[in-house]
Amino acid sequence: MLSARSLFQEIVDCDDSFQLFCSIAASGEAQGGWENGRIAALVPESMRELAPKITRHGADEDKHGRLFNALLRKRQLDPVPVPRATDYTMLLEQRGIGLAHEKLRRDEPLTEQDIVVYLSHSRVTEQRAADQMELLVRYFGEHPELGTAVRMIREDEENHLAYCHEELLRLAAAGHGPTIRRVLREAALAEIRVHRDVSLAVMAHMGRALHWSKARSAVLAAGIHAKYAYERLGGWRRMADLRMPERRGALDGPATTAPAF
């Protein structure tokens, strides 16, 4: 039976597909860690109170990258190069999601507008991350090899999402509402296209590693296209709404560690 659970289990059970999965995840998390670190260093003086939270966000992303690499080491596997078509963060940047790396490499303070855009983009991408980790916890939360790592990452992603909601609502109340609404819509519509393209590319690579039949690959591709159609017709709105989270001050304090890894 073809189900999400059986699909994930097949990927986890095969060293080649597991190696690619963890390498893609580790690379994306490490990239997010670098970006948040640079943004924290360049926050304008008028918004310096956000710097510790952005720093913690980046530290969490770095930790996630180390967790995925630790999962590889447990199997005595090395990270592999990430195929360009599966590089979610790079493709998002090409679509204008996230602050340009050229800007982040310069030692020039960002503007308040930059921070509003950054938080809006983060709200969208953190929704995707939280949804994906929720799925992994549902299937592998008690897995002896993966359980601890996916539960830890899921907890962090929920904190990141709560932080984005809370800070954007505060900024909206301070007069940035029109910009936030516009950027959230643009970012959500761009993200769902990137997510579709990356999902198709990842499934193609997994299919080769796992020797899937053309028929099975076609069914999975059709499912990805169907999800994109749903999101394009209105499902994207869940990635662009704002509501006060139950977790307030989710990124206050230092980042948590992962001593088990």
Side-chain angles (χ1 to χ4, degrees):
M1 177 181 177
L2 185 58
S3 66
R5 182 186 295 273
S6 64
L7 178 65
F8 279 125
Q9 189 65 60
E10 193 173 354
I11 291 170
V12 168
D13 288 345
C14 171
D15 279 351
D16 287 344
S17 55
F18 184 74
Q19 186 177 35
L20 179 59
F21 170 79
C22 287
S23 297
I24 291 172
S27 174
E29 298 286 1
Q31 185 68 27
W34 178 82
E35 290 172 357
N36 279 281
R38 290 301 299 154
I39 292 167
L42 301 175
V43 170
E45 283 300 323
S46 59
M47 304 177 86
R48 289 306 299 174
E49 74 280 358
L50 282 174
K53 298 178 183 181
I54 300 172
T55 297
R56 173 169 170 183
H57 190 173
D60 285 343
E61 303 288 3
D62 282 335
K63 178 182 68 179
H64 300 168
R66 294 194 300 273
L67 286 170
F68 282 112
N69 281 322
L71 291 174
L72 288 174
R73 288 196 300 273
K74 281 188 173 184
R75 287 206 194 177
Q76 298 183 325
L77 298 171
D78 294 321
V80 295
V82 174
R84 288 182 62 83
T86 69
D87 193 331
Y88 176 76
T89 53
M90 179 195 73
L91 294 173
L92 284 175
E93 185 190 3
Q94 291 177 356
R95 291 273 189 171
I97 306 302
L99 299 181
H101 287 186
E102 180 183 355
K103 175 179 288 191
L104 295 181
R105 290 190 182 98
R106 297 196 297 262
D107 288 324
E108 299 175 7
L110 299 171
T111 65
E112 289 191 6
Q113 178 82 355
D114 288 332
I115 300 302
V116 170
V117 169
Y118 148 72
L119 284 169
S120 299
H121 290 170
S122 294
R123 185 267 174 271
V124 171
T125 56
E126 291 299 333
Q127 182 70 60
R128 183 71 72 186
D131 290 347
Q132 291 181 328
M133 293 313 303
E134 182 64 33
L135 196 64
L136 285 176
V137 168
R138 186 186 312 166
Y139 299 144
F140 295 107
E142 302 305 321
H143 191 279
E145 183 180 12
L146 305 179
T148 300
V150 297
R151 290 196 307 272
M152 190 177 301
I153 296 172
R154 190 269 305 271
E155 181 71 12
D156 287 344
E157 299 297 3
E158 289 184 353
N159 283 337
H160 299 167
L161 189 56
Y163 142 78
C164 289
H165 277 278
E166 185 174 2
E167 295 302 333
L168 284 171
L169 285 170
R170 182 179 63 80
L171 289 168
H176 295 283
T179 298
I180 291 170
R181 287 190 294 273
R182 173 181 59 80
V183 175
L184 283 174
R185 183 181 190 279
E186 292 172 353
L189 291 172
E191 193 280 340
I192 63 173
R193 290 193 294 272
V194 170
H195 183 258
R196 174 201 60 191
D197 294 345
V198 168
S199 296
L200 289 169
V202 170
M203 285 300 103
H205 282 278
M206 294 299 176
R208 287 190 286 273
L210 296 166
H211 308 293
W212 288 341
S213 66
K214 290 184 179 180
R216 187 177 195 193
S217 295
V219 169
L220 291 170
I224 292 169
H225 284 294
K227 181 176 182 180
Y228 170 72
Y230 160 75
E231 292 189 330
R232 185 66 184 83
L233 288 172
W236 63 270
R237 297 181 188 279
R238 84 184 191 287
M239 308 180 77
D241 69 341
L242 290 176
R243 59 190 181 280
M244 187 56 69
E246 293 182 8
R247 301 184 184 200
R248 305 290 292 274
L251 292 191
D252 291 345
T256 58
T257 58
F261 292 83

